[in-house]
């Protein structure tokens, strides 16, 4: 019963939020004059050496998503073995404690996280702002998806996209 919602949430996160929504926003993006941005005024742009590590949080998210997906795939017997590793001891009177199952907690967390990213996608798809990053300014070498179809299969770096700017 848990596999469908978990697989759906992971698909929505890994494919919808990180590929389709961002590419659709970049497809709509048009370079314009830089808006004032307190973040860019306070912090310098990444150097080429630092840029190598900029995608690390996304890679960690992929690893977490993969671990949750593995838990969904191994099924109830595998989950029961994993649950035994995190089970709290019984109460003093010997009756077992009733705690939410680990997979149920992860399913709920993933479903809310996927819903949040879907709503987030709708906000930056409906509001296109000119980018304040150097690679998003007029005259920069922009490489947005050229067709609507390309938005559904193109995977790019987090730092190579100028469409998802509202929450940056």
């Amino acid at each position: 019963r848990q596999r469908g919602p978990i697989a759906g949430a992971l698909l929505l996160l890994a494919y919808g939020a990180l590929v389709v929504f961002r590419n659709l926003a970049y497809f709509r993006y048009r370079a314009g004059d830089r808006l004032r941005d307190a973040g860019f005024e306070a912090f310098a742009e990444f150097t080429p050496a630092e840029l190598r590590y900029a995608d690390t949080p996304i890679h960690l998210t992929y690893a977490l998503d993969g671990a949750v997906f593995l838990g969904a795939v191994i099924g109830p017997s595998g989950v029961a073995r994993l649950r035994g590793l995190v089970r709290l001891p019984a109460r003093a009177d010997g009756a077992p404690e009733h705690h939410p199952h680990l997979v149920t907690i992860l399913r709920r967390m993933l479903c809310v996280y996927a819903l949040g990213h879907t709503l987030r996608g709708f906000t930056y798809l409906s509001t296109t702002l000119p980018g304040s990053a150097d690679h998003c300014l007029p005259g920069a070498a922009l490489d947005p998806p050229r067709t609507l179809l390309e938005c559904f299969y193109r995977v790019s770096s987090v730092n190579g996209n100028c469409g998802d700017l509202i929450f940056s």
Side-chain angles (χ1 to χ4, degrees):
R1 291 183 11 206
Q2 306 281 17
R3 291 180 191 180
I6 289 175
L10 287 173
L11 179 69
L12 187 59
L13 285 170
Y15 179 66
L18 295 175
V19 177
V20 177
F21 296 159
R22 291 180 69 242
N23 282 334
L24 286 171
Y26 196 19
F27 181 71
R28 294 187 64 232
Y29 179 77
R30 301 295 175 260
D33 292 335
R34 179 180 285 185
L35 297 176
R36 288 190 54 126
D37 187 307
F40 277 94
E41 291 174 4
F43 301 103
E45 187 84 20
F46 282 139
T47 65
E50 295 168 333
L51 203 55
R52 295 183 329 187
Y53 304 107
D55 286 339
T56 301
I58 293 296
H59 295 153
L60 293 174
T61 302
Y62 286 154
L64 176 64
D65 291 348
V68 171
F69 185 70
L70 178 64
V73 169
I74 62 175
S77 61
V79 171
R81 287 192 301 270
L82 289 174
R83 193 175 3 156
L85 297 174
V86 295
R87 182 171 289 162
L88 297 175
R91 295 188 320 214
D93 62 0
E97 288 282 338
H98 295 287
H99 297 281
H101 299 288
L102 178 63
V103 174
T104 303
I105 293 170
L106 293 175
R107 176 187 54 88
R108 289 177 183 170
M109 185 236 7
L110 276 174
C111 288
V112 169
Y113 193 57
L115 177 64
H117 270 280
T118 301
L119 295 173
R120 176 181 184 263
F122 292 149
T123 60
Y124 63 73
L125 282 170
S126 63
T127 307
T128 302
L129 300 173
S132 56
D134 289 337
H135 67 274
C136 297
L137 295 175
L142 297 176
D143 186 27
R146 287 164 181 66
T147 65
L148 192 59
L149 181 63
E150 191 178 348
C151 294
F152 291 89
Y153 64 83
R154 176 183 168 159
V155 179
S156 62
S157 167
V158 172
N159 292 303
N161 192 312
C162 294
D164 175 8
L165 296 173
I166 290 180
F167 297 95
S168 299

